[in-house]
Every structure is written in structure tokens, then in C-alpha cells.
Amino acid sequence: MKDQLQHLSKSSEKFSKLSLSHGKRTRLWRLMYGHGPRNGSLLVLPLDQGLEHGPTDFFPHPPAVDPEYQFRLAVEGNFSAIALGVGLAEKYLGDWCGQIPLILKLNGKTNIPSDAEATSPLFASVEDAVRLGADAVGYTMYVGSPRQHDEFRQFEKVRQDCERFGMPLVLWSYPRGAAIDAKGGKGSLYAQDYAARVALELGADIVKLHEPDDHTAHVPAPYDQLQEDASSRTQRVVRSAGRTMVLFSGGEKNDDDAAVLRKVEFYLASGANGVMFGRNMWLRPLDKAIALVQQVHQIMARYPC
């Protein structure tokens, strides 16, 4: 218990040094210390896949098509927050108000058009987030897309509203587009490292990224000459995010629980502030998902942020 209090003191001391308005500080505190691991690390359950990927994501586990399933998992699994769009929040949050913090996703797209000119239009506002009692908003930015100039201007208004309302801003910083494909692809270290830096430069409080792969073909110099292992690549991305907190994606469902847990440990050991686990959690039966998330909590307890 004494060690836990010392860890909490150190992590909260780091939090106190962040340049945040009172509103942002209060809401981030609820996310980082009021729910989830409660040690400054974050465990977020996203439910934007129905929009971004379509209903097929729920086919492997039909009960997951009902958002009540994810809300129950978020509460019983003690997640830091659930992240979803305005329609789901308005229709399903009512029974769970106060039990799980909300990250309201403000924009998104379907996967029907090509990603060559990917863009993610707004369909909700920071004011909606305030009205719904959210503790943060989420915004998807397609870094490198030919439409990024439109997205930068759209993001400017969101960022200003977040400052005005004291609302933390979580950026889904996703490399996309023909230019990214021509320079090594969205999973390359070049692309993920750039996405991390963009989040810092644009003013995000938290950024969601993917683990960079070892692909070097066609990536720009000097990335094409780097010979780094997975740990070094991931740590580089975290460093590029600077004082923007980093969450890594849990990715597609992995039936190997041990592999999922190794990923959690790897991300936190690399300096990340937490993980977003969607399909790896809610595509499992509820009892198995809760058992797995309990093991995730045990790992995260060793890495106060």
C-alpha cells in the first residue's frame, strides 16, 4: 500500500506540471485517477468500429452489436473511459451516466470510399460533449492525406472549443492517403513517428497511435537506414509525441490472451500512457473479456504514469 501511494504521488506530481486549464485538469484527473487503473495510466474501450469498419466487425461475436454489451464491459471491467460517437452516447449512455467516463468522438467516416484521399468530417461538437457530460473529446486526423489542409482547419475550431470549454482533446492520429502509401505505408516508423509529432504540434492532449512496424521499403531518408528493434521504434514514437500522452491501439482481435498481455507490457515499458482495447475485448464473451482486462490491470498497476 505504501509503494502504491508513493507511485501515485510521483505520477500526480508529473500531472500537476502539465500546462492545463482547470477544466481540462479536472476532467483528465477523473480519467487518469478516478477510473481505470487510477495511477495515471489509461485503459480506454473504443466503440467507433461500427462506423469506421461497418457491422461486419460484430459478426464474430453477435452480442457485441448491442452497445449495452460494451457499456457493461467498460463498467464491470473498470476501464478509464468508453469512446464512441454522439448517436450511441445519446441513445445508450443514460443508464450508465456517472459510472464510466465518456470520450465523445466528434468525427469519423465509413470505410466504403478509398483511403487515397481520406477525410473525416465532423458530426458532433465540443458543446455536445459538454451537454453529454463527457470528460474528453476524440478527433480523427488523417496525417498525410491530400485532404489534410481541410482537416487542419476543421481541427483548429475543435481545439479552440476545447480550450474554451476546458475539454481534453484526444487525437486519433492516423497516417493515410496515396502519399503515405508511396512512402512506406501507414504502419511504417516514418508514418507513425510523423503522426506522433503532428499530434504534439497541433495541440492534442492525448494521441492514439499504432505500433510502428519494421517496414523500410520506400520510406524517406533517414528512416530507410534505421536498424532499430521494436522497442527502439516504439520508444522513438513516444519521444516524438513529447508532452502529449500516448495511447497505443490494441489492434485486431488476438485469440491468444498471453500475446495481448505481452503487448500491454511492451507498450507501457516503451513509455506509453496506456492502451485502447476495442475488438480484443468486446469480441470475447463477457466473462472472458473481464478476466482478461483484470490481468491487464495487474500489468498497468506496475507502470504509473
Side-chain angles (χ1 to χ4, degrees):
M1 181 66 176
K2 182 178 179 181
D3 289 342
Q4 289 178 336
L5 289 173
Q6 288 176 339
H7 286 156
L8 180 59
S9 176
K10 290 179 180 178
S11 57
S12 59
E13 179 181 351
K14 180 179 177 182
F15 175 78
S16 70
K17 293 180 179 179
L18 293 175
S19 179
L20 298 167
S21 67
H22 293 337
K24 281 194 175 190
R25 189 176 299 278
T26 298
R27 291 181 171 96
L28 277 176
W29 183 272
R30 284 198 289 262
L31 293 172
M32 298 167 66
Y33 301 104
H35 294 265
R38 293 178 170 84
N39 65 350
S41 60
L42 291 163
L43 180 59
V44 178
L45 186 73
L47 183 57
D48 56 350
Q49 292 86 352
L51 173 65
E52 299 287 341
H53 306 156
T56 55
D57 265 19
F58 306 110
F59 280 24
H61 184 46
V65 75
D66 182 356
E68 291 282 350
Y69 186 91
Q70 284 84 3
F71 273 101
R72 184 178 173 189
L73 173 58
V75 171
E76 295 185 21
N78 190 23
F79 279 77
S80 305
I82 189 169
L84 39 77
V86 67
L88 297 184
E90 289 182 337
K91 291 176 171 62
Y92 293 91
L93 180 62
D95 291 338
W96 305 94
C97 285
Q99 298 182 61
I100 181 72
L102 169 66
I103 299 175
L104 186 70
K105 282 297 300 292
L106 303 185
N107 66 338
K109 70 171 186 62
T110 71
N111 69 357
I112 299 170
S114 165
D115 272 352
E117 296 191 21
T119 188
S120 188
L122 284 170
F123 55 77
S125 67
V126 179
E127 197 166 347
D128 285 323
V130 174
R131 174 176 56 84
L132 290 165
D135 281 311
V137 297
Y139 183 97
T140 298
M141 171 71 69
Y142 292 122
V143 176
S145 167
R147 300 288 301 278
Q148 74 174 12
H149 58 286
D150 295 326
E151 297 214 339
F152 278 18
R153 286 195 290 268
Q154 181 175 259
F155 181 84
E156 176 189 18
K157 177 63 165 55
V158 170
R159 182 188 57 77
Q160 290 172 342
D161 284 347
C162 283
E163 292 302 322
R164 185 160 60 95
F165 287 108
M167 184 67 66
L169 176 52
V170 185
L171 186 67
W172 275 240
S173 194
Y174 285 179
R176 291 290 189 276
I180 289 290
D181 292 340
K183 294 182 177 180
K186 62 187 181 182
S188 69
L189 174 59
Y190 163 75
Q192 291 300 319
D193 205 26
Y194 213 144
R197 185 68 188 199
V198 166
L200 174 63
E201 298 278 351
L202 294 186
D205 299 300
I206 301 171
V207 59
K208 181 195 177 189
L209 300 165
H210 288 82
E211 178 188 344
D213 60 34
D214 60 358
H215 188 79
T216 57
H218 308 298
V219 301
Y223 289 90
D224 60 340
Q225 300 300 315
L226 292 177
Q227 296 182 349
E228 298 181 335
D229 61 15
S231 178
S232 297
R233 291 193 302 270
T234 307
Q235 290 178 47
R236 180 183 291 276
V237 168
V238 172
R239 287 196 303 272
S240 290
R243 292 183 179 176
T244 295
M245 292 177 279
V246 174
L247 304 180
F248 278 110
S249 169
E252 296 180 2
K253 182 174 182 285
N254 189 334
D255 291 324
D256 184 350
D257 287 5
V260 172
L261 296 172
R262 285 195 297 271
K263 275 296 183 196
V264 175
E265 183 105 39
F266 173 75
Y267 292 148
L268 294 171
S270 298
N273 293 82
V275 185
M276 273 200 192
F277 269 130
R279 288 166 290 176
N280 260 307
M281 292 297 172
W282 49 252
L283 284 181
R284 284 174 160 80
L286 186 63
D287 59 341
K288 293 184 178 180
I290 291 174
L292 180 58
V293 78
Q294 287 172 345
Q295 295 180 77
V296 171
H297 274 282
Q298 292 173 11
I299 294 172
M300 298 185 80
R302 302 197 296 268
Y303 292 92
C305 295

